């Protein structure tokens, strides 16, 4: 007896006259996905060490953060200078 499958095991009807690949035809995903890093990253990011989340991975995060802040401050200064220059009348 046992349980009957909910999903039909028949192949779906043809779409646009071509066959599509079935899940059984695709290669195994283990070969190209590699190791699951999510549990390791969860341990790293949930550790209570007083660091903000955006700096927990060390030097690359610090470099990215500082570059982003420098570009933001530089862009703000550039916009203020451009607004100041645009507000001044031109000499003829």
């Amino acid at each position: 007896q046992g349980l009957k499958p909910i999903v039909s095991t028949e192949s779906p009807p043809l779409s646009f006259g071509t066959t599509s690949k079935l899940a059984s035809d695709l290669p195994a995903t283990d070969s190209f996905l590699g190791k699951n890093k999510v549990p390791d990253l969860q341990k790293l990011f949930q550790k209570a060490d007083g660091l903000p989340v955006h700096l927990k991975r060390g030097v690359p995060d610090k470099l990215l953060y500082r570059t982003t802040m420098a570009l933001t401050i530089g862009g703000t200064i550039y916009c203020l200078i451009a607004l100041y220059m645009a507000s001044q009348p031109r000499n003829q």
Side-chain angles (χ1 to χ4, degrees):
Q1 293 215 334
L3 299 173
K4 292 183 181 179
I6 296 174
V7 180
S8 173
T9 57
E10 298 175 9
S11 62
L14 294 177
S15 300
F16 305 108
T18 60
T19 59
S20 59
K21 286 188 175 184
L22 299 174
S24 61
D25 296 339
L26 296 175
T29 57
D30 292 339
S31 63
F32 61 88
L33 285 180
K35 182 183 177 238
N36 185 8
K37 298 178 184 177
V38 173
D40 298 332
L41 291 174
Q42 283 177 337
K43 288 177 189 173
L44 174 70
F45 287 119
Q46 292 176 357
K47 190 181 351 173
D49 55 4
L51 285 174
V53 173
H54 61 276
L55 297 176
K56 287 226 182 212
R57 288 177 53 178
V59 174
D61 281 349
K62 288 179 185 177
L63 183 64
L64 183 62
Y65 176 74
R66 289 179 181 162
T67 303
T68 304
M69 291 309 294
L71 288 171
T72 302
I73 292 169
T76 302
I77 291 171
Y78 179 77
C79 286
L80 291 174
I81 291 171
L83 284 172
Y84 175 75
M85 290 175 64
S87 68
Q88 299 300 315
R90 292 186 180 224
N91 295 332
Q92 291 183 346

